[in-house]
């Protein structure tokens, strides 16, 4: 037998089960949305203008860029009159590689007209429970030696409260000291979704560039992140539908990016025009690889993909 | 200079004038947040360990480390003396700096001495050394259970587990990285 085939077989042998679970998970997710009368869409991976975000770097693709998420095109569809859409696609983010990160990864993204972030959290919960049952998993799953109960009501904790509960400093202090991310990663994330899945929600306004601000409290945005077993799985929010405000936020992000010498992207003008027609809606992006990790009790993202980049 | 995205396990960097080795390295990035590099670092001079999280804008100076082949001469008052055979320059390492290497040190052995800005701070021995067994229970003939081991003492004073058939006076090969028996050396 050829040595490189032998090596592939050796490396893949221990992933066989995970690859099967991953495939069935994707099939189950499709079924869920098709049953709910969602339209499955495919938008281009290669785009001229990604949404400028301060901490997300797009890979170049000729004169254009590989998408960092399908958000821009999917919201144009939403604005054009497709009220329930979902997509499972590849996304690319430069320089992201770690236990939970692949530069090329698989994203599930869906949008619902008429929803806000609360309703979307509920739907996300329902979809994941349905997927777990489809996979033949019990309501109590084991992830990294901890039992997680998927069936009891999921936790929803505001970011400010999570800081009070788990961190030595308050959210405001962390923001003022410019170490919000460090505190989040070190003190808060490891405690989220431990016994049951948890939604961390109501992020500081400036950390949600495409989300609507909360009614009655302009200091936070209607944005949430889902955590299971300390792993961040999904990011969702009530969509901002105010075009001038979105343009202002994009220009702010462009300014921050320029200060750090990050690549300048052209503004996604057609997306900004479309925002005028965007219905009140909510959207969410969920990492398929990471959900496959949770359902296969895998410690790292490499365990649920056939070929991490290092062995290509 | 290194940037944070170039950090990896085993990399040696200089912080506050001391050399550090990265013993653990993790890339993390909260949703919509910035890339963070969580590291465990060990001070190569005193062994102190600490954890620190870096950002992608952080930069690091490589530690000025190099290795030099030197010959072991003798031990005196807890210090180990080595000599550069070309320049005849002599240096000393302490018990702490020797770490496990002292268990496998024989006269005249050549070793790589690790220098930080020309100061000796550590040693790495050849991966395999051959050492004489100086004390061992005799082999009870007929005891042929495969895999059975017994402790013996080597010429350096180090006690090691070997197969039961090894006798006093025999030479064995030891893996200096694991401190374990490898094979019997004929001769």
């Amino acid at each position: 037998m050829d040595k490189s085939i032998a090596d592939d077989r050796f490396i893949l042998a221990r992933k066989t089960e995970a690859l099967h679970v991953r495939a069935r998970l994707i099939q189950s997710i499709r079924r869920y949305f098709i049953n709910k009368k969602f339209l499955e869409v495919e938008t281009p991976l290669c785009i001229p203008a990604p949404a400028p975000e301060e901490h997300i770097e797009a890979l170049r693709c000729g004169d254009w860029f590989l998408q960092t998420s399908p958000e821009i095109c999917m919201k144009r569809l939403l604005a054009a009159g497709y009220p329930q859409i979902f997509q499972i696609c590849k996304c690319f983010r430069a320089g992201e590689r770690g236990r939970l990160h692949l530069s090329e990864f698989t994203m599930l993204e869906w949008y619902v007209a008429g929803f806000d972030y609360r309703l979307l959290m509920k739907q996300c919960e329902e979809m994941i429970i349905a997927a777990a049952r489809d996979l033949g998993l019990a309501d109590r799953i084991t992830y990294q030696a901890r039992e997680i109960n998927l069936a009891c009501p999921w936790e929803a904790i505001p970011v400010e409260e999570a800081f009070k509960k788990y961190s030595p400093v308050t959210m405001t202090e962390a923001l003022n000291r410019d170490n919000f991310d460090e505190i989040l990663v070190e003190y808060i994330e490891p405690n989220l979704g431990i016994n049951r899945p948890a939604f961390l929600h109501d992020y500081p306004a400036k950390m949600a560039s495409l989300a609507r601000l909360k009614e009655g409290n302009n200091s936070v945005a209607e944005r949430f992140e889902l955590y299971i077993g300390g792993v961040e799985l999904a990011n969702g929010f009530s969509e901002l539908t105010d075009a001038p405000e979105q343009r202002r936020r994009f220009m702010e992000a462009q300014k921050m990016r320029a200060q750090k010498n990050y690549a300048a992207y052209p503004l996604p003008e057609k997306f900004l025009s479309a925002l005028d027609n965007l219905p009140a809606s909510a959207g969410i992006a969920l990492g398929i690889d990471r959900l496959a990790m949770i359902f296969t009790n895998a410690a790292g993202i490499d365990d649920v993909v056939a070929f991490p980049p290092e062995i290509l | 200079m290194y940037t944070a995205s170039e950090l990896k396990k085993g990399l040696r960097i200089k912080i506050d004038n001391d050399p550090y080795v990265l013993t653990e390295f993790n890339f993390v990035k909260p949703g919509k947040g910035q890339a963070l590099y969580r590291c465990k670092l060990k001070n190569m001079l005193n062994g102190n360990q600490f954890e620190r999280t870096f950002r992608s804008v952080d930069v690091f100076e490589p530690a000025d480390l190099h290795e030099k082949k030197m010959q072991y001469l003798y031990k005196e008052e807890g210090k180990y003396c080595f000599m550069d055979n070309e320049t005849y320059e002599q240096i000393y390492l302490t018990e702490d700096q020797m770490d496990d290497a002292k268990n496998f040190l024989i006269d005249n052995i050549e070793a790589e001495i690790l220098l930080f800005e020309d100061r000796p701070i550590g040693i790495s021995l050849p991966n395999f050394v051959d050492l004489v067994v100086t004390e061992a229970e005799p082999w009870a003939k007929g005891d042929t259970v495969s895999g059975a081991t017994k402790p013996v003492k080597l010429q350096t004073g180090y006690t090691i587990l070997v197969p039961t058939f090894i006798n006093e006076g025999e030479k064995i090969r030891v893996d200096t990285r694991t401190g374990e028996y490898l094979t019997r050396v004929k001769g």
Side-chain angles (χ1 to χ4, degrees), chain A residues 53 55 95-97 101 178 181-182 184-186 223 225 232 235, chain B residues 26-34 36-38 53 55-56:
Chain A
E53 294 200 55
H55 301 300
E96 301 196 2
R97 182 72 180 105
H101 289 85
D178 185 29
D181 288 336
E182 281 89 348
L184 185 66
V185 164
E186 191 169 339
R223 174 189 157 206
E225 294 261 1
E232 177 213 328
N235 173 55
Chain B
N26 284 305
F27 171 87
V28 293
K29 191 170 189 285
K32 306 266 179 193
Q34 62 190 307
L36 299 172
Y37 304 84
R38 303 192 73 189
T53 301
R55 294 182 171 190
S56 50

PDB file of all heavy atoms in Angstrom, chain A residues 53 55 95-97 101 178 181-182 184-186 223 225 232 235, chain B residues 26-34 36-38 53 55-56:
ATOM      1  N   GLU A  53     -15.455  44.796  10.040  1.00  0.00           N
ATOM      2  CA  GLU A  53     -15.533  44.601  11.490  1.00  0.00           C
ATOM      3  C   GLU A  53     -14.128  44.725  12.060  1.00  0.00           C
ATOM      4  O   GLU A  53     -13.147  44.318  11.433  1.00  0.00           O
ATOM      5  CB  GLU A  53     -16.143  43.239  11.813  1.00  0.00           C
ATOM      6  CG  GLU A  53     -17.596  43.169  11.371  1.00  0.00           C
ATOM      7  CD  GLU A  53     -18.368  42.059  12.086  1.00  0.00           C
ATOM      8  OE1 GLU A  53     -18.377  42.045  13.319  1.00  0.00           O
ATOM      9  OE2 GLU A  53     -18.948  41.227  11.381  1.00  0.00           O
ATOM     10  N   HIS A  55     -12.395  43.259  14.347  1.00  0.00           N
ATOM     11  CA  HIS A  55     -11.516  42.132  14.673  1.00  0.00           C
ATOM     12  C   HIS A  55     -11.660  40.930  13.756  1.00  0.00           C
ATOM     13  O   HIS A  55     -11.291  39.835  14.128  1.00  0.00           O
ATOM     14  CB  HIS A  55     -11.776  41.682  16.107  1.00  0.00           C
ATOM     15  CG  HIS A  55     -11.541  42.753  17.114  1.00  0.00           C
ATOM     16  ND1 HIS A  55     -10.316  43.362  17.270  1.00  0.00           N
ATOM     17  CD2 HIS A  55     -12.365  43.333  18.010  1.00  0.00           C
ATOM     18  CE1 HIS A  55     -10.407  44.268  18.229  1.00  0.00           C
ATOM     19  NE2 HIS A  55     -11.638  44.284  18.696  1.00  0.00           N
ATOM     20  N   GLY A  95      -5.955  34.143   9.778  1.00  0.00           N
ATOM     21  CA  GLY A  95      -5.197  34.120  11.032  1.00  0.00           C
ATOM     22  C   GLY A  95      -5.884  33.451  12.194  1.00  0.00           C
ATOM     23  O   GLY A  95      -5.388  33.518  13.317  1.00  0.00           O
ATOM     24  N   GLU A  96      -7.037  32.798  11.966  1.00  0.00           N
ATOM     25  CA  GLU A  96      -7.721  32.173  13.089  1.00  0.00           C
ATOM     26  C   GLU A  96      -7.442  30.676  13.086  1.00  0.00           C
ATOM     27  O   GLU A  96      -7.930  29.933  12.251  1.00  0.00           O
ATOM     28  CB  GLU A  96      -9.234  32.452  13.015  1.00  0.00           C
ATOM     29  CG  GLU A  96      -9.529  33.943  13.028  1.00  0.00           C
ATOM     30  CD  GLU A  96     -10.990  34.271  13.341  1.00  0.00           C
ATOM     31  OE1 GLU A  96     -11.784  33.353  13.579  1.00  0.00           O
ATOM     32  OE2 GLU A  96     -11.304  35.481  13.344  1.00  0.00           O
ATOM     33  N   ARG A  97      -6.629  30.237  14.019  1.00  0.00           N
ATOM     34  CA  ARG A  97      -6.298  28.820  14.117  1.00  0.00           C
ATOM     35  C   ARG A  97      -6.028  28.492  15.572  1.00  0.00           C
ATOM     36  O   ARG A  97      -5.174  29.098  16.206  1.00  0.00           O
ATOM     37  CB  ARG A  97      -5.044  28.517  13.272  1.00  0.00           C
ATOM     38  CG  ARG A  97      -4.665  27.045  13.282  1.00  0.00           C
ATOM     39  CD  ARG A  97      -5.649  26.239  12.454  1.00  0.00           C
ATOM     40  NE  ARG A  97      -5.317  24.817  12.451  1.00  0.00           N
ATOM     41  CZ  ARG A  97      -6.005  23.902  13.171  1.00  0.00           C
ATOM     42  NH1 ARG A  97      -7.006  24.272  13.951  1.00  0.00           N
ATOM     43  NH2 ARG A  97      -5.677  22.632  13.113  1.00  0.00           N
ATOM     44  N   HIS A 101     -10.705  26.932  16.479  1.00  0.00           N
ATOM     45  CA  HIS A 101     -10.692  27.760  15.266  1.00  0.00           C
ATOM     46  C   HIS A 101     -10.021  27.096  14.082  1.00  0.00           C
ATOM     47  O   HIS A 101      -8.913  26.566  14.206  1.00  0.00           O
ATOM     48  CB  HIS A 101      -9.972  29.091  15.533  1.00  0.00           C
ATOM     49  CG  HIS A 101     -10.725  30.030  16.416  1.00  0.00           C
ATOM     50  ND1 HIS A 101     -10.660  29.965  17.777  1.00  0.00           N
ATOM     51  CD2 HIS A 101     -11.573  31.040  16.122  1.00  0.00           C
ATOM     52  CE1 HIS A 101     -11.443  30.914  18.288  1.00  0.00           C
ATOM     53  NE2 HIS A 101     -12.009  31.577  17.314  1.00  0.00           N
ATOM     54  N   ASP A 178     -10.181  48.430  29.130  1.00  0.00           N
ATOM     55  CA  ASP A 178      -9.900  47.814  27.839  1.00  0.00           C
ATOM     56  C   ASP A 178      -9.423  46.359  27.983  1.00  0.00           C
ATOM     57  O   ASP A 178      -8.478  45.934  27.334  1.00  0.00           O
ATOM     58  CB  ASP A 178      -8.845  48.646  27.070  1.00  0.00           C
ATOM     59  CG  ASP A 178      -8.621  48.103  25.664  1.00  0.00           C
ATOM     60  OD1 ASP A 178      -9.567  47.528  25.101  1.00  0.00           O
ATOM     61  OD2 ASP A 178      -7.485  48.233  25.156  1.00  0.00           O
ATOM     62  N   ASP A 181     -12.334  41.531  26.563  1.00  0.00           N
ATOM     63  CA  ASP A 181     -12.128  40.228  25.917  1.00  0.00           C
ATOM     64  C   ASP A 181     -11.325  39.273  26.802  1.00  0.00           C
ATOM     65  O   ASP A 181     -11.643  38.095  26.909  1.00  0.00           O
ATOM     66  CB  ASP A 181     -11.402  40.400  24.572  1.00  0.00           C
ATOM     67  CG  ASP A 181     -12.306  41.021  23.510  1.00  0.00           C
ATOM     68  OD1 ASP A 181     -13.536  40.898  23.636  1.00  0.00           O
ATOM     69  OD2 ASP A 181     -11.774  41.621  22.562  1.00  0.00           O
ATOM     70  N   GLU A 182     -10.272  39.807  27.422  1.00  0.00           N
ATOM     71  CA  GLU A 182      -9.437  38.968  28.283  1.00  0.00           C
ATOM     72  C   GLU A 182     -10.257  38.401  29.443  1.00  0.00           C
ATOM     73  O   GLU A 182     -10.157  37.216  29.763  1.00  0.00           O
ATOM     74  CB  GLU A 182      -8.251  39.769  28.845  1.00  0.00           C
ATOM     75  CG  GLU A 182      -7.085  39.949  27.868  1.00  0.00           C
ATOM     76  CD  GLU A 182      -7.218  41.186  26.998  1.00  0.00           C
ATOM     77  OE1 GLU A 182      -8.318  41.796  26.974  1.00  0.00           O
ATOM     78  OE2 GLU A 182      -6.231  41.538  26.321  1.00  0.00           O
ATOM     79  N   LEU A 184     -13.512  38.062  29.606  1.00  0.00           N
ATOM     80  CA  LEU A 184     -14.519  37.155  29.062  1.00  0.00           C
ATOM     81  C   LEU A 184     -13.926  35.755  28.857  1.00  0.00           C
ATOM     82  O   LEU A 184     -14.503  34.743  29.273  1.00  0.00           O
ATOM     83  CB  LEU A 184     -15.036  37.707  27.723  1.00  0.00           C
ATOM     84  CG  LEU A 184     -16.188  36.952  27.066  1.00  0.00           C
ATOM     85  CD1 LEU A 184     -17.448  37.060  27.915  1.00  0.00           C
ATOM     86  CD2 LEU A 184     -16.465  37.496  25.671  1.00  0.00           C
ATOM     87  N   VAL A 185     -12.758  35.715  28.243  1.00  0.00           N
ATOM     88  CA  VAL A 185     -12.139  34.434  27.918  1.00  0.00           C
ATOM     89  C   VAL A 185     -11.654  33.708  29.174  1.00  0.00           C
ATOM     90  O   VAL A 185     -11.816  32.501  29.316  1.00  0.00           O
ATOM     91  CB  VAL A 185     -10.947  34.674  26.951  1.00  0.00           C
ATOM     92  CG1 VAL A 185     -10.049  33.466  26.893  1.00  0.00           C
ATOM     93  CG2 VAL A 185     -11.470  35.015  25.564  1.00  0.00           C
ATOM     94  N   GLU A 186     -11.095  34.478  30.103  1.00  0.00           N
ATOM     95  CA  GLU A 186     -10.467  33.832  31.257  1.00  0.00           C
ATOM     96  C   GLU A 186     -11.458  33.459  32.357  1.00  0.00           C
ATOM     97  O   GLU A 186     -11.382  32.386  32.927  1.00  0.00           O
ATOM     98  CB  GLU A 186      -9.372  34.740  31.815  1.00  0.00           C
ATOM     99  CG  GLU A 186      -8.508  34.044  32.835  1.00  0.00           C
ATOM    100  CD  GLU A 186      -7.263  34.854  33.196  1.00  0.00           C
ATOM    101  OE1 GLU A 186      -6.865  35.730  32.395  1.00  0.00           O
ATOM    102  OE2 GLU A 186      -6.708  34.622  34.273  1.00  0.00           O
ATOM    103  N   ARG A 223     -28.049  41.469  21.205  1.00  0.00           N
ATOM    104  CA  ARG A 223     -27.168  40.445  20.634  1.00  0.00           C
ATOM    105  C   ARG A 223     -26.954  39.339  21.655  1.00  0.00           C
ATOM    106  O   ARG A 223     -26.890  39.612  22.854  1.00  0.00           O
ATOM    107  CB  ARG A 223     -25.833  41.087  20.262  1.00  0.00           C
ATOM    108  CG  ARG A 223     -24.790  40.097  19.790  1.00  0.00           C
ATOM    109  CD  ARG A 223     -23.407  40.699  19.627  1.00  0.00           C
ATOM    110  NE  ARG A 223     -22.443  39.612  19.726  1.00  0.00           N
ATOM    111  CZ  ARG A 223     -21.192  39.760  20.108  1.00  0.00           C
ATOM    112  NH1 ARG A 223     -20.718  40.933  20.443  1.00  0.00           N
ATOM    113  NH2 ARG A 223     -20.400  38.706  20.176  1.00  0.00           N
ATOM    114  N   GLU A 225     -24.881  35.307  22.418  1.00  0.00           N
ATOM    115  CA  GLU A 225     -23.992  34.219  22.010  1.00  0.00           C
ATOM    116  C   GLU A 225     -24.456  32.971  22.745  1.00  0.00           C
ATOM    117  O   GLU A 225     -24.796  33.040  23.931  1.00  0.00           O
ATOM    118  CB  GLU A 225     -22.548  34.506  22.429  1.00  0.00           C
ATOM    119  CG  GLU A 225     -21.908  35.685  21.745  1.00  0.00           C
ATOM    120  CD  GLU A 225     -21.012  35.306  20.579  1.00  0.00           C
ATOM    121  OE1 GLU A 225     -20.904  34.102  20.286  1.00  0.00           O
ATOM    122  OE2 GLU A 225     -20.447  36.217  19.966  1.00  0.00           O
ATOM    123  N   GLU A 232     -18.205  28.521  22.699  1.00  0.00           N
ATOM    124  CA  GLU A 232     -19.091  29.459  22.032  1.00  0.00           C
ATOM    125  C   GLU A 232     -19.519  28.864  20.695  1.00  0.00           C
ATOM    126  O   GLU A 232     -18.696  28.465  19.884  1.00  0.00           O
ATOM    127  CB  GLU A 232     -18.332  30.770  21.802  1.00  0.00           C
ATOM    128  CG  GLU A 232     -19.119  31.796  21.051  1.00  0.00           C
ATOM    129  CD  GLU A 232     -18.224  32.658  20.183  1.00  0.00           C
ATOM    130  OE1 GLU A 232     -17.074  32.907  20.546  1.00  0.00           O
ATOM    131  OE2 GLU A 232     -18.685  33.064  19.112  1.00  0.00           O
ATOM    132  N   ASN A 235     -23.786  33.147  17.308  1.00  0.00           N
ATOM    133  CA  ASN A 235     -23.926  34.568  17.569  1.00  0.00           C
ATOM    134  C   ASN A 235     -25.168  35.045  16.820  1.00  0.00           C
ATOM    135  O   ASN A 235     -25.303  34.792  15.624  1.00  0.00           O
ATOM    136  CB  ASN A 235     -22.679  35.297  17.051  1.00  0.00           C
ATOM    137  CG  ASN A 235     -22.813  36.792  17.116  1.00  0.00           C
ATOM    138  OD1 ASN A 235     -23.096  37.345  18.175  1.00  0.00           O
ATOM    139  ND2 ASN A 235     -22.643  37.456  15.988  1.00  0.00           N
TER     140      ASN A 235
ATOM    141  N   ASN B  26      -2.195  28.742  23.447  1.00  0.00           N
ATOM    142  CA  ASN B  26      -3.557  28.574  22.928  1.00  0.00           C
ATOM    143  C   ASN B  26      -4.061  29.843  22.266  1.00  0.00           C
ATOM    144  O   ASN B  26      -3.982  30.921  22.844  1.00  0.00           O
ATOM    145  CB  ASN B  26      -4.523  28.235  24.065  1.00  0.00           C
ATOM    146  CG  ASN B  26      -4.389  26.810  24.508  1.00  0.00           C
ATOM    147  OD1 ASN B  26      -4.496  25.887  23.703  1.00  0.00           O
ATOM    148  ND2 ASN B  26      -4.114  26.620  25.777  1.00  0.00           N
ATOM    149  N   PHE B  27      -4.589  29.673  21.049  1.00  0.00           N
ATOM    150  CA  PHE B  27      -5.241  30.791  20.355  1.00  0.00           C
ATOM    151  C   PHE B  27      -6.710  30.806  20.771  1.00  0.00           C
ATOM    152  O   PHE B  27      -7.377  29.791  20.697  1.00  0.00           O
ATOM    153  CB  PHE B  27      -5.140  30.583  18.836  1.00  0.00           C
ATOM    154  CG  PHE B  27      -5.949  31.559  18.031  1.00  0.00           C
ATOM    155  CD1 PHE B  27      -5.423  32.774  17.659  1.00  0.00           C
ATOM    156  CD2 PHE B  27      -7.252  31.254  17.653  1.00  0.00           C
ATOM    157  CE1 PHE B  27      -6.174  33.678  16.915  1.00  0.00           C
ATOM    158  CE2 PHE B  27      -8.014  32.149  16.914  1.00  0.00           C
ATOM    159  CZ  PHE B  27      -7.457  33.375  16.547  1.00  0.00           C
ATOM    160  N   VAL B  28      -7.215  31.945  21.240  1.00  0.00           N
ATOM    161  CA  VAL B  28      -8.636  32.062  21.563  1.00  0.00           C
ATOM    162  C   VAL B  28      -9.162  33.363  20.978  1.00  0.00           C
ATOM    163  O   VAL B  28      -8.406  34.301  20.726  1.00  0.00           O
ATOM    164  CB  VAL B  28      -8.910  32.036  23.091  1.00  0.00           C
ATOM    165  CG1 VAL B  28      -8.570  30.683  23.666  1.00  0.00           C
ATOM    166  CG2 VAL B  28      -8.154  33.125  23.808  1.00  0.00           C
ATOM    167  N   LYS B  29     -10.486  33.397  20.743  1.00  0.00           N
ATOM    168  CA  LYS B  29     -11.057  34.607  20.158  1.00  0.00           C
ATOM    169  C   LYS B  29     -12.541  34.597  20.474  1.00  0.00           C
ATOM    170  O   LYS B  29     -13.281  33.822  19.881  1.00  0.00           O
ATOM    171  CB  LYS B  29     -10.832  34.593  18.645  1.00  0.00           C
ATOM    172  CG  LYS B  29     -11.138  35.894  17.948  1.00  0.00           C
ATOM    173  CD  LYS B  29     -10.629  35.816  16.503  1.00  0.00           C
ATOM    174  CE  LYS B  29     -10.693  37.136  15.783  1.00  0.00           C
ATOM    175  NZ  LYS B  29     -12.032  37.526  15.382  1.00  0.00           N
ATOM    176  N   PRO B  30     -12.983  35.419  21.401  1.00  0.00           N
ATOM    177  CA  PRO B  30     -14.425  35.444  21.685  1.00  0.00           C
ATOM    178  C   PRO B  30     -15.168  36.031  20.490  1.00  0.00           C
ATOM    179  O   PRO B  30     -14.591  36.792  19.712  1.00  0.00           O
ATOM    180  CB  PRO B  30     -14.533  36.351  22.911  1.00  0.00           C
ATOM    181  CG  PRO B  30     -13.297  37.180  22.916  1.00  0.00           C
ATOM    182  CD  PRO B  30     -12.236  36.408  22.189  1.00  0.00           C
ATOM    183  N   GLY B  31     -16.443  35.666  20.329  1.00  0.00           N
ATOM    184  CA  GLY B  31     -17.230  36.109  19.180  1.00  0.00           C
ATOM    185  C   GLY B  31     -17.154  37.615  19.005  1.00  0.00           C
ATOM    186  O   GLY B  31     -17.394  38.355  19.949  1.00  0.00           O
ATOM    187  N   LYS B  32     -16.809  38.064  17.810  1.00  0.00           N
ATOM    188  CA  LYS B  32     -16.686  39.488  17.464  1.00  0.00           C
ATOM    189  C   LYS B  32     -15.565  40.183  18.232  1.00  0.00           C
ATOM    190  O   LYS B  32     -15.352  41.377  18.087  1.00  0.00           O
ATOM    191  CB  LYS B  32     -17.999  40.253  17.701  1.00  0.00           C
ATOM    192  CG  LYS B  32     -19.189  39.648  16.996  1.00  0.00           C
ATOM    193  CD  LYS B  32     -19.434  40.290  15.659  1.00  0.00           C
ATOM    194  CE  LYS B  32     -20.619  39.651  14.962  1.00  0.00           C
ATOM    195  NZ  LYS B  32     -20.715  40.025  13.575  1.00  0.00           N
ATOM    196  N   GLY B  33     -14.888  39.438  19.099  1.00  0.00           N
ATOM    197  CA  GLY B  33     -13.826  40.047  19.902  1.00  0.00           C
ATOM    198  C   GLY B  33     -12.479  39.901  19.223  1.00  0.00           C
ATOM    199  O   GLY B  33     -12.384  39.430  18.093  1.00  0.00           O
ATOM    200  N   GLN B  34     -11.427  40.292  19.931  1.00  0.00           N
ATOM    201  CA  GLN B  34     -10.119  40.254  19.308  1.00  0.00           C
ATOM    202  C   GLN B  34      -9.411  38.931  19.561  1.00  0.00           C
ATOM    203  O   GLN B  34      -9.742  38.204  20.483  1.00  0.00           O
ATOM    204  CB  GLN B  34      -9.268  41.404  19.819  1.00  0.00           C
ATOM    205  CG  GLN B  34      -9.007  41.361  21.307  1.00  0.00           C
ATOM    206  CD  GLN B  34      -8.366  42.646  21.769  1.00  0.00           C
ATOM    207  OE1 GLN B  34      -7.357  43.068  21.216  1.00  0.00           O
ATOM    208  NE2 GLN B  34      -8.948  43.270  22.763  1.00  0.00           N
ATOM    209  N   LEU B  36      -6.753  36.521  20.936  1.00  0.00           N
ATOM    210  CA  LEU B  36      -5.927  36.514  22.141  1.00  0.00           C
ATOM    211  C   LEU B  36      -5.065  35.255  22.141  1.00  0.00           C
ATOM    212  O   LEU B  36      -5.467  34.218  21.617  1.00  0.00           O
ATOM    213  CB  LEU B  36      -6.804  36.544  23.395  1.00  0.00           C
ATOM    214  CG  LEU B  36      -7.713  37.764  23.557  1.00  0.00           C
ATOM    215  CD1 LEU B  36      -8.657  37.582  24.734  1.00  0.00           C
ATOM    216  CD2 LEU B  36      -6.873  39.023  23.752  1.00  0.00           C
ATOM    217  N   TYR B  37      -3.893  35.381  22.716  1.00  0.00           N
ATOM    218  CA  TYR B  37      -2.946  34.266  22.739  1.00  0.00           C
ATOM    219  C   TYR B  37      -2.630  33.954  24.198  1.00  0.00           C
ATOM    220  O   TYR B  37      -1.932  34.715  24.859  1.00  0.00           O
ATOM    221  CB  TYR B  37      -1.686  34.645  21.953  1.00  0.00           C
ATOM    222  CG  TYR B  37      -2.012  35.059  20.534  1.00  0.00           C
ATOM    223  CD1 TYR B  37      -2.404  36.376  20.244  1.00  0.00           C
ATOM    224  CD2 TYR B  37      -2.005  34.130  19.504  1.00  0.00           C
ATOM    225  CE1 TYR B  37      -2.745  36.752  18.953  1.00  0.00           C
ATOM    226  CE2 TYR B  37      -2.343  34.500  18.203  1.00  0.00           C
ATOM    227  CZ  TYR B  37      -2.715  35.813  17.937  1.00  0.00           C
ATOM    228  OH  TYR B  37      -3.064  36.170  16.660  1.00  0.00           O
ATOM    229  N   ARG B  38      -3.217  32.867  24.698  1.00  0.00           N
ATOM    230  CA  ARG B  38      -3.023  32.506  26.113  1.00  0.00           C
ATOM    231  C   ARG B  38      -1.803  31.606  26.227  1.00  0.00           C
ATOM    232  O   ARG B  38      -1.746  30.555  25.606  1.00  0.00           O
ATOM    233  CB  ARG B  38      -4.252  31.799  26.662  1.00  0.00           C
ATOM    234  CG  ARG B  38      -5.510  32.629  26.526  1.00  0.00           C
ATOM    235  CD  ARG B  38      -6.624  32.039  27.336  1.00  0.00           C
ATOM    236  NE  ARG B  38      -6.391  32.264  28.751  1.00  0.00           N
ATOM    237  CZ  ARG B  38      -7.118  31.699  29.705  1.00  0.00           C
ATOM    238  NH1 ARG B  38      -8.067  30.860  29.408  1.00  0.00           N
ATOM    239  NH2 ARG B  38      -6.883  31.965  30.964  1.00  0.00           N
ATOM    240  N   THR B  53      -1.816  36.396  28.953  1.00  0.00           N
ATOM    241  CA  THR B  53      -2.585  36.488  27.709  1.00  0.00           C
ATOM    242  C   THR B  53      -2.072  37.671  26.903  1.00  0.00           C
ATOM    243  O   THR B  53      -1.984  38.777  27.418  1.00  0.00           O
ATOM    244  CB  THR B  53      -4.078  36.667  28.032  1.00  0.00           C
ATOM    245  OG1 THR B  53      -4.506  35.545  28.808  1.00  0.00           O
ATOM    246  CG2 THR B  53      -4.903  36.725  26.762  1.00  0.00           C
ATOM    247  N   ARG B  55      -2.046  40.009  23.143  1.00  0.00           N
ATOM    248  CA  ARG B  55      -2.871  40.447  22.017  1.00  0.00           C
ATOM    249  C   ARG B  55      -2.054  40.416  20.745  1.00  0.00           C
ATOM    250  O   ARG B  55      -0.820  40.406  20.794  1.00  0.00           O
ATOM    251  CB  ARG B  55      -3.357  41.884  22.253  1.00  0.00           C
ATOM    252  CG  ARG B  55      -4.300  41.993  23.408  1.00  0.00           C
ATOM    253  CD  ARG B  55      -4.791  43.417  23.553  1.00  0.00           C
ATOM    254  NE  ARG B  55      -5.862  43.469  24.530  1.00  0.00           N
ATOM    255  CZ  ARG B  55      -6.622  44.525  24.734  1.00  0.00           C
ATOM    256  NH1 ARG B  55      -6.420  45.631  24.030  1.00  0.00           N
ATOM    257  NH2 ARG B  55      -7.579  44.493  25.630  1.00  0.00           N
ATOM    258  N   SER B  56      -2.755  40.485  19.598  1.00  0.00           N
ATOM    259  CA  SER B  56      -2.011  40.355  18.348  1.00  0.00           C
ATOM    260  C   SER B  56      -1.078  41.532  18.098  1.00  0.00           C
ATOM    261  O   SER B  56      -0.164  41.431  17.293  1.00  0.00           O
ATOM    262  CB  SER B  56      -2.964  40.156  17.164  1.00  0.00           C
ATOM    263  OG  SER B  56      -3.961  41.134  17.194  1.00  0.00           O
TER     264      SER B  56
END
